[in-house]
Amino acid sequence: MNPTMTRLPEEEHPNKAFGWAARDSYGVLSPFKFSRRATGEKDVAFKVLYCGICHSDLHMAKNEWGTSIYPLVPGHEIAGEVTEVGSEVQKFKVGDRVGVGCLVGSCRSCDSCKDNLENYCPKMVLTYGAKYYDGTITYGGYSDTMVADEHFIVRIPDNMPLDAAAPLLCAGITVYSPLRYYELDRPSLHIGVVGLGGLGHVAVKFAKAMGVKVTVISTSPNKKKEALENLGADSFLVSRDQDQLQGAIGTLDGIIDTVSAQHPVLPLLALLKSHGKLVLLGAPEKPLELPVFPLIQGRKVIGGSLIGGMKETQEMIDFAAKHDVKPDIEVIAMDYVNTAMERLLKADVKYRFVIDIGNTLKIPS
């Protein structure tokens, strides 16, 4: 699909907004004036205070997945404070601390939606770069305001800082959901986490909060101290060290694989016990080779997972607040965003950039 340019008639969207947008596949972001829809009966409008930078923001800004619609305002890790609610809104009031994650719409009637799994709805509407029901294009959280149906709003507990909450709305639910669904959340289990980046470091924190024994699996030996001392992992495995791999064969009940680069899964399958589960969260550009014999011989399972539904996302943020699970973040100013994108491309961040929208997004007079 070729990227297309879409502009909205101003008179249909009276809520003026300001943010930063990419205009083309070069992916450079710059100031952008636009309009949000008027707050509907079931809508919640809020002032955006923080927005995390997800790796998918980089892909979308550069149209690397071929689906980007320009101008594109990225951001689906959005936290802020309610400024207006529609007449039929029941769960939120002005002043509440809230957030929006990766989706702002779904059909609400399919089997997935009925099971509180709006994230698997065939008609799911993404928070930015997607067509909304009224035909307009959704704009994300690199902006001063946000409007969404109350069903897709998450309440952020008072003891959870908004800057730390923001990345949990994507990275947090992306690792929390598979830990729960694949039943890798029991204290008697021993799991592996592959990759120690934005997703991986949060996976370690959630798993430890659930009482699970955790081994971090990484290609980088220099991440051992960070994994063990700062993140609280129980052990560390260098995936390029054959002796270490050999010594760990058959020791893990499950593996959460967060790596999106091309990598072999055969060594990971060998680390699993019989009936073990390898859960893939990263999306490599090329298909992975799938060796079948290791699956047959140990009745092992390879699965996947994509964010989570709204009920589970609320459960995740409540769990994080209760157990003090917070991502490691670097808070940046809005005008630093292009530099942050360049650093993200080099994996030069520990472990998630968060834009201080409330204090640094300057609206031109």
Side-chain angles (χ1 to χ4, degrees):
M1 183 192 300
N2 290 325
T4 57
M5 185 73 78
T6 302
R7 293 240 179 235
L8 308 178
E10 285 292 321
E11 63 274 11
E12 295 178 16
H13 304 276
N15 291 342
K16 301 217 179 298
F18 179 71
W20 280 50
R23 272 34 180 239
D24 52 42
S25 59
Y26 286 107
V28 177
L29 285 94
S30 58
F32 173 58
K33 290 182 179 179
F34 62 103
S35 295
R36 296 283 185 193
R37 69 173 185 266
T39 307
E41 293 178 340
K42 296 184 178 180
D43 284 342
V44 173
F46 65 93
K47 178 183 180 182
V48 177
L49 297 176
Y50 295 97
C51 187
I53 297 181
C54 177
H55 213 285
S56 58
D57 297 347
L58 184 59
H59 291 300
M60 288 292 289
K62 293 177 176 289
N63 194 36
E64 291 176 349
W65 292 332
T67 60
S68 300
I69 302 170
Y70 298 104
L72 181 131
V73 179
H76 58 208
E77 300 179 347
I78 314 165
E81 187 175 295
V82 175
T83 55
E84 184 183 11
V85 296
S87 58
E88 295 185 17
V89 169
Q90 298 180 339
K91 296 188 292 184
F92 301 98
K93 66 182 186 304
V94 172
D96 283 351
R97 307 164 83 249
V98 296
V100 164
C102 300
L103 57 155
V104 292
S106 70
C107 78
R108 312 284 288 278
S109 60
C110 69
D111 288 345
S112 291
C113 285
K114 289 176 182 176
D115 287 339
N116 298 305
L117 294 169
E118 300 90 345
N119 50 312
Y120 298 121
C121 172
K123 297 180 179 178
M124 173 182 69
V125 180
L126 297 174
T127 300
Y128 69 87
K131 187 170 283 190
Y132 200 66
Y133 304 114
D134 60 3
T136 62
I137 302 303
T138 56
Y139 291 127
Y142 293 16
S143 59
D144 58 349
T145 63
M146 187 72 194
V147 180
D149 185 293
E150 75 166 325
H151 184 77
F152 298 92
I153 300 281
V154 176
R155 181 182 301 279
I156 297 175
D158 289 340
N159 65 327
M160 172 63 70
L162 289 179
D163 56 357
L168 294 177
L169 297 168
C170 173
I173 187 60
T174 295
V175 299
Y176 181 91
S177 185
L179 285 169
R180 293 296 196 202
Y181 178 77
Y182 290 99
E183 298 181 334
L184 299 175
D185 55 354
R186 292 176 300 196
S188 60
L189 300 183
H190 182 186
I191 72 162
V193 172
V194 185
L196 201 59
L199 292 180
H201 92 285
V202 180
V204 173
K205 292 189 178 194
F206 270 117
K208 289 306 299 177
M210 293 168 181
V212 179
K213 184 178 179 182
V214 179
T215 293
V216 169
I217 303 166
S218 174
T219 58
S220 307
N222 59 1
K223 290 186 177 181
K224 181 176 182 178
K225 182 178 179 181
E226 172 76 12
L228 300 181
E229 297 181 11
N230 293 351
L231 299 177
D234 298 281
S235 52
F236 186 87
L237 198 58
V238 179
S239 56
R240 289 175 175 157
D241 187 320
Q242 294 304 313
D243 290 338
Q244 288 190 28
L245 290 177
Q246 197 68 29
I249 285 176
T251 60
L252 302 177
D253 297 286
I255 295 174
I256 300 291
D257 185 348
T258 70
V259 175
S260 53
Q262 205 71 18
H263 62 291
V265 297
L266 182 59
L268 300 177
L269 291 173
L271 299 177
L272 293 173
K273 299 176 183 176
S274 294
H275 328 298
K277 302 162 187 174
L278 171 59
V279 185
L280 305 176
L281 304 183
E285 290 181 15
K286 297 178 181 178
L288 297 174
E289 285 189 22
L290 179 60
V292 176
F293 274 108
L295 301 180
I296 296 172
Q297 291 166 343
R299 197 160 69 176
K300 298 173 183 179
V301 173
I302 295 181
S305 188
L306 176 73
I307 53 174
M310 297 315 302
K311 181 180 179 181
E312 190 173 46
T313 301
Q314 186 65 62
E315 175 191 304
M316 175 277 304
I317 204 92
D318 291 343
F319 179 94
K322 181 179 179 180
H323 296 276
D324 197 30
V325 175
K326 295 195 287 281
D328 291 4
I329 61 174
E330 180 178 335
V331 179
I332 63 168
M334 186 72 249
D335 61 8
Y336 187 77
V337 67
N338 289 307
T339 303
M341 291 286 195
E342 292 172 8
R343 286 179 54 193
L344 185 60
L345 195 58
K346 303 171 189 170
D348 177 25
V349 56
K350 282 189 177 179
Y351 284 94
R352 210 73 164 180
F353 286 117
V354 175
I355 308 168
D356 183 352
I357 300 284
N359 291 314
T360 69
L361 178 61
K362 306 300 181 188
I363 303 174
S365 54

